[in-house]
Amino acid sequence: PGEYITSVAIQNAVPTGDDGEGVVLKQIVRQVIAIAIDVPGERAPTLAIDGVTYGDVGSMSVVAFDVQNPGNVLLKPVAEMVLFDAGGVEVDRQSMQMGSFYAWTDTKVEFAFRERLPVGNYTAILTVTDTATGATASTAQPLGVTVPEAVESIIIPAPAAQTTAPVASAAPAASQPWALVAVAVVATLAVVGAIAGGIVLFRRLKSRPRTEQAQPVHIPAPAPVATSLTALVSIRRLVPPGYSQH
């Protein structure tokens, strides 16, 4: 006797899809039907709590309880957690509505804290109650919060001592600051000297007198242009053949 749940699923055995080039997607089409089975008989709604664990998630603390439904009825209980410190002072209280809790299954009920709990010993009390059936369970579990494990640092070994003489280099070593300063001063003086030399050369060329004078260019006078048409053409009377003045 009791309430059970199962399912029937149907899907294609061979994934469908094109075998062309490029991106090829294989598809499986599945349909699932949930089936609830109710076998008549005596009902035994029951809840049980197994244990409690503590963990850190980022900057938060999480307290998790293992909850079981060993009965034969679907339950939807409410879980309430109260946390006390070592002195018996209430630190926090939280409650939540659980979803469908099927028979003969187990789950975890987790409570998160906005900030990490201080190091110390605590007592966590959890009570789960299903209002519809009256099933309930409660437990008080000791809870120890320790310092979170630090990430191990990676130690890089120092380089081995140099046994051979270093090869002479044109550049000064970084451990000789006066050599670097001397090189910088010499380079600066060279640049300044080049600029000064260019300025002096430019001034000398600019102040040099011009010895060559521009020679005049002789342009011949244009030929006279006729001012009368008679100078260009001769005009005569045209008489057609066979023309008579009479």
Side-chain angles (χ1 to χ4, degrees):
E3 298 176 352
Y4 303 83
I5 186 170
T6 185
S7 62
V8 175
I10 183 173
Q11 69 182 38
N12 51 314
V14 180
T16 60
D18 299 332
D19 295 332
E21 299 179 356
V23 179
V24 179
L25 299 179
K26 297 295 185 178
Q27 184 180 15
I28 295 178
V29 180
R30 180 183 295 115
Q31 294 291 337
V32 181
I33 299 176
I35 299 176
I37 303 174
D38 187 356
V39 178
E42 182 181 0
R43 296 293 186 266
T46 309
L47 285 168
I49 304 173
D50 191 10
V52 62
T53 56
Y54 169 82
D56 294 320
V57 180
S59 60
M60 300 186 304
S61 295
V62 177
V63 176
F65 294 86
D66 296 324
V67 183
Q68 302 172 353
N69 181 0
N72 59 2
V73 180
L74 170 65
L75 303 176
K76 295 184 178 181
V78 175
E80 183 179 15
M81 185 272 304
V82 184
L83 186 66
F84 297 92
D85 62 9
V89 178
E90 181 177 328
V91 176
D92 191 64
R93 179 185 296 264
Q94 300 183 33
S95 62
M96 69 172 64
Q97 174 65 58
M98 297 177 60
S100 298
F101 196 8
Y102 296 100
W104 298 291
T105 62
D106 55 88
T107 186
K108 281 185 176 293
V109 180
E110 296 182 347
F111 299 91
F113 301 86
R114 294 180 179 271
E115 298 178 357
R116 183 174 294 142
L117 292 174
V119 177
N121 296 321
Y122 299 86
T123 300
I125 300 177
L126 177 67
T127 302
V128 288
T129 304
D130 182 74
T131 306
T133 61
T136 183
S138 182
T139 183
Q141 299 284 343
L143 184 66
V145 177
T146 58
V147 178
E149 297 181 359
V151 179
E152 296 182 359
S153 59
I154 301 176
I155 300 176
I156 301 176
Q162 189 173 1
T163 56
T164 59
V167 179
S169 175
S175 60
Q176 298 176 357
W178 292 108
L180 293 177
V181 173
V183 172
V185 171
V186 171
T188 304
L189 292 177
V191 174
V192 173
I195 295 175
I199 295 175
V200 172
L201 179 60
F202 175 76
R203 289 182 175 179
R204 287 182 177 179
L205 293 176
K206 187 176 180 181
S207 60
R208 178 180 299 176
R210 298 183 180 180
T211 58
E212 297 180 358
Q213 300 295 333
Q215 299 297 329
V217 180
H218 177 71
I219 301 176
V225 181
T227 59
S228 176
L229 292 177
T230 57
L232 299 178
V233 297
S234 60
I235 302 174
R236 66 186 180 87
R237 184 178 181 183
L238 297 178
V239 179
Y243 174 79
S244 176
Q245 294 180 356
H246 301 285

